Amino acid sequence: MQRAAYAPGVDLGLPGQDDPRRAEVRQWLAAHPRPSGRQLAEAGYVVPHWAPPFGRDADPLTQLMIDEELRAAGVHRPINPIGIGWAGPTLMYAGGDEQKERWLWPLLSGEEFWCQLFSEPGAGSDLAALTTRAERDGDHYVINGQKVWNSYAHIAKWGIVLARTDPAAAKHQGISYFVCPMDAAGIEIRPLIDMTGEHAFNEVFFTDVRIPADHLIGAEHGGWELAKVTLGNERVSLSGEGSLWGMGPTADDLVDLVRAAGGAPDPSVRDALVSVWMESQILRVLRLRMVSAVLAGRAPGAEASVRKAIADAHGQHVMGVARDLAGAFGMLAGTGPVGGWGGGAVAIGADATWSRGFLYSPALTVGGGTAEVQRYIVAEKVLGLPRDP
Ligand SMILES: Cc1cc2nc3c(=O)[nH]c(=O)nc-3n(C[C@H](O)[C@H](O)[C@H](O)COP(=O)(O)OP(=O)(O)OC[C@H]3O[C@@H](n4cnc5c(N)ncnc54)[C@H](O)[C@@H]3O)c2cc1C
């Protein structure tokens, strides 16, 4: 049986195939059929909405058309999520011309990978409680302290670092924002293996790490404002509906697998499956409303905050139902959602995507602002309730 088409009733009205903006992208792709990251960067196709020369000042509609054309040609943008998604926009906002020229090209091309060194053992949700120090010493800053949960610090060339430059100032006032070379003397990177068995996180220790003073971004002690720019750049995703922060399988994928295996005999499991599917449809509509708001030139506002809070929990629900569907097989690594009733003979049961996704899913309501922090944002910024004392 086929999945019925679901029409959410939101028309994005993207211009057709003969639009000159599409033709321009196709022309470029014809001349660069297998573009390198550097070629994509220099053409402004990595982050098209940035100002030239790094982007193309593209409006949202043009961005979507560029995305479609690149996808149709099988061209992938460079992978450098923290660089392109968070560090880059902050450098665009506050970096000097030389800093932009030095760092942005290899960042956009993916030649130099970036990491984020914000969280500390005593500063996560309350990030401004950070205690890592940076002291000015001639034309250098000397950094001492410890960071934690730093994704991919072990393979990054550069890190964005928040450090306290004025310990006497009020909590949010004495913080500065730096770019740190990850191979500087005095940096020790220790791996943290997460529940999936993978090494993505690290602890990073700074002992008398000297970095040039021109690695300071923006004003000394003005780092908190830039930290907010970095954290706010968790972009409105215009693509990707995966249940793990826009990646990985969706509730539809789960339903497809169950359908292909002939259905689920247990009514309580069927009930749970329908619930997560309905949740996914609500999220799809919220996402499409966000996209159409952006296309119409409006800020996504409330939808973005509400959607993040629902989407994080949804990812855990999808993975939880998949685990329940696997029955006793769910205790094994590398099992998919079917097998519990169809027997191990069902080939799609041997799919590590789901067992890994289940183990990864608790991270969703912690990273990028915890579930509780999201609710504070919705309460204060969306509903206008009084600030938490
Ligand atoms: C997958 C992943 C990737 C990450 N990558 C990076 C990275 O690259 N760089 C980096 O610097 N950090 C990274 N982090 C760390 C992340 O930013 C922190 O985990 C997050 O900010 C929460 O901080 P914490 O872990 O110290 O938890 P805490 O802030 O100690 O929170 C613990 C619990 O208490 C709750 N809580 C805290 N304060 C309040 C309050 N006022 N009211 C109610 N409840 C509260 C929280 O919601 C949470 O449930 C990553 C985390 C994850 C999960």
Side-chain angles (χ1 to χ4, degrees), residues 82 116-121 123-126 148-151 201 245 360 363 366-373 376 388:
I82 292 174
Q116 184 191 35
L117 304 150
F118 282 15
S119 306
E120 298 184 5
S125 300
D126 186 12
V148 71
W149 312 125
N150 311 114
S151 308
F201 289 137
W245 281 331
Y360 187 80
V366 178
T370 68
E372 288 74 20
V373 168
Y376 277 114
D388 180 61

Side-chain angles (χ1 to χ4, degrees), residues 98-99 103 136 139-141 179 211-217:
E98 274 180 33
Q99 291 177 325
W103 283 312
R136 184 79 189 235
D139 53 6
H140 282 77
Y141 282 91
V179 170
I211 61 168
D214 64 7
H215 284 35
L216 170 75
I217 308 299

Side-chain angles (χ1 to χ4, degrees), residues 56-69:
R56 305 171 68 87
D57 252 341
D59 58 42
L61 207 56
T62 309
Q63 268 185 73
L64 285 178
M65 284 188 283
I66 293 172
D67 285 358
E68 278 193 358
E69 294 301 328

Side-chain angles (χ1 to χ4, degrees), residues 248-316:
T250 63
D252 271 338
D253 293 333
L254 184 57
V255 173
D256 283 349
L257 284 182
V258 173
R259 188 184 290 113
D266 183 336
S268 68
V269 169
R270 285 204 300 273
D271 188 49
L273 194 61
V274 169
S275 291
V276 289
W277 185 82
M278 291 197 309
E279 222 170 60
S280 77
Q281 298 310 309
I282 293 168
L283 279 162
R284 176 172 291 167
V285 173
L286 283 177
R287 176 176 157 274
L288 287 167
R289 276 179 61 185
M290 232 162 49
V291 172
S292 59
V294 170
L295 290 179
R298 296 193 304 274
E303 284 92 345
S305 311
V306 174
R307 187 182 172 276
K308 167 102 172 80
I310 301 174
D312 290 349
H314 172 67
Q316 293 175 351

Side-chain angles (χ1 to χ4, degrees), residues 117-132 146-150 162 164 171 175 224 231 370:
L117 304 150
F118 282 15
S119 306
E120 298 184 5
S125 300
D126 186 12
L127 183 58
L130 61 91
T131 58
T132 292
Q146 186 201 336
K147 299 290 177 177
V148 71
W149 312 125
N150 311 114
L162 289 181
R164 196 162 290 287
K171 192 171 169 185
I175 293 171
W224 186 249
L231 298 173
T370 68

Side-chain angles (χ1 to χ4, degrees), residues 182-243:
M182 294 306 292
D183 57 358
I187 291 187
E188 189 193 343
I189 302 171
R190 294 188 199 161
L192 291 170
I193 309 300
D194 67 34
M195 284 207 298
T196 65
E198 290 163 12
H199 170 202
F201 289 137
N202 300 275
E203 294 178 289
V204 178
F205 295 82
F206 291 79
T207 308
D208 293 331
V209 176
R210 296 180 71 80
I211 61 168
D214 64 7
H215 284 35
L216 170 75
I217 308 299
E220 193 180 54
H221 314 317
W224 186 249
E225 189 204 343
L226 303 191
K228 286 194 288 187
V229 174
T230 301
L231 298 173
N233 262 292
E234 200 165 316
R235 291 167 302 171
V236 174
S237 173
L238 297 181
S239 59
E241 294 183 47
S243 54

Side-chain angles (χ1 to χ4, degrees), residues 81-159:
I82 292 174
I84 296 169
W86 301 327
T90 314
L91 286 168
M92 282 295 279
Y93 175 77
D97 289 343
E98 274 180 33
Q99 291 177 325
K100 287 184 192 163
E101 194 62 31
R102 162 65 190 90
W103 283 312
L104 285 179
W105 292 117
L107 175 154
L108 288 169
S109 68
E111 291 155 7
E112 293 180 351
F113 200 75
W114 287 60
C115 68
Q116 184 191 35
L117 304 150
F118 282 15
S119 306
E120 298 184 5
S125 300
D126 186 12
L127 183 58
L130 61 91
T131 58
T132 292
R133 285 292 316 273
E135 287 172 273
R136 184 79 189 235
D137 179 22
D139 53 6
H140 282 77
Y141 282 91
V142 182
I143 304 185
N144 280 286
Q146 186 201 336
K147 299 290 177 177
V148 71
W149 312 125
N150 311 114
S151 308
Y152 308 112
H154 56 299
I155 55 169
K157 181 163 179 64
W158 302 100

